[in-house]
Amino acid sequence: MQTTDRPRRTPQRRDAHSNHRRILATARQQLRDDPDTSLGSIAKAAGVTRRTVYGHFPSREALVADLTQEAGQALQQAFAAVRIPDADPVEAMARMVLAAWAVGDQYRMLISLGRRHRGEAAIRATLAPAREEAIAHIRRGQHQGVFAGHVPAPVLAQALEALMLALAEENAASTWADPTGEAAATAFLVAAGVAPQAAALQVQDVVRRDRAAGAG
């Protein structure tokens, strides 16, 4: 019986795949730090020519779209993995913050681009499900009296998002270390109106239960 070997990836294809990944990884970092960075700057940082970058991405918009899709998928998967039906709003928000922190680079890049380029429809669409989910939890928490009700839920959600971005940027700059996101989640809940001790206990409880479930 005649067998056929599976086609092997040629060196050129391997190089192209490697360059593609390197460009994306570099662009993620560059755009996170400077949402206005150019393709030329990304090419230089990645150690490739501009022609190579344009060979993979015909425009800056195409590169941002690819990164947006990648980051959006990472966020959605992270949120889906920690979502618990019928969780109370404080626990639900703690879980969302911890999940976002776990995919920090993608989260910070999306938020940074979304704030600097409000015309980027793809970025707004990618963030919309997470924002709507957060607003729903905040609105439910306000109704139950566990979150501050002095401003509408969408406004409070936007303010809390800004807090998260600031904390994530400080963590990345190594001026303040929070590897697990527990401090960020606690700060988020406190800013939402939860008493500091109750916020810390809620975050610790979520982390403890998730670790126990993972070990089991």
Side-chain angles (χ1 to χ4, degrees):
M1 182 177 178
Q2 185 176 5
T3 61
T4 58
D5 294 333
R6 296 175 65 182
R8 297 180 178 178
R9 182 178 289 173
T10 64
Q12 289 83 359
R13 289 178 61 192
R14 286 198 301 269
D15 288 345
H17 185 67
S18 176
N19 284 338
H20 187 88
R21 288 186 302 173
R22 183 185 306 120
I23 293 167
L24 281 178
T26 303
R28 188 183 306 118
Q29 180 178 3
Q30 294 287 311
L31 288 168
R32 180 196 67 202
D33 297 336
D34 178 11
D36 295 318
T37 192
S38 66
L39 283 183
S41 297
I42 293 171
K44 183 178 180 180
V48 299
T49 64
R50 288 172 58 94
R51 181 176 180 179
T52 298
V53 173
Y54 280 107
H56 291 275
F57 304 100
S59 66
R60 185 181 183 279
E61 289 71 24
L63 175 57
V64 169
D66 203 334
L67 283 171
T68 298
Q69 182 179 15
E70 178 187 78
Q73 289 173 350
L75 278 173
Q76 291 171 13
Q77 290 170 1
F79 290 148
V82 302
R83 189 177 294 122
I84 293 181
D86 301 323
D88 68 75
V90 178
E91 178 181 353
M93 288 308 309
R95 289 184 172 279
M96 285 192 72
V97 173
L98 291 168
W101 203 260
V103 287
D105 279 353
Q106 291 93 329
Y107 175 82
R108 290 197 299 122
M109 185 203 69
L110 276 178
I111 299 298
S112 294
L113 283 172
R115 288 189 175 281
R116 293 289 294 277
H117 299 273
R118 295 188 179 275
E120 298 276 5
I123 295 172
R124 292 202 311 272
T126 298
L127 288 169
R131 284 173 171 161
E132 290 303 317
E133 183 176 355
I135 290 170
H137 291 319
I138 291 171
R139 186 173 283 123
R140 189 159 54 96
Q142 288 178 328
H143 180 72
Q144 295 177 12
V146 295
F147 289 150
H150 58 290
V151 294
V155 178
L156 182 56
Q158 186 174 353
L160 294 172
E161 183 180 281
L163 171 65
M164 275 291 294
L165 178 58
L167 293 175
E169 288 177 341
E170 292 302 319
N171 182 64
S174 300
T175 58
W176 172 71
D178 184 21
T180 64
E182 292 181 51
T186 300
F188 183 99
L189 293 179
V190 171
V194 181
Q197 184 176 5
L201 289 174
Q202 177 66 83
V203 172
Q204 291 168 13
D205 183 60
V206 168
V207 172
R208 177 184 56 78
R209 283 190 286 139
D210 285 352
R211 285 175 180 168

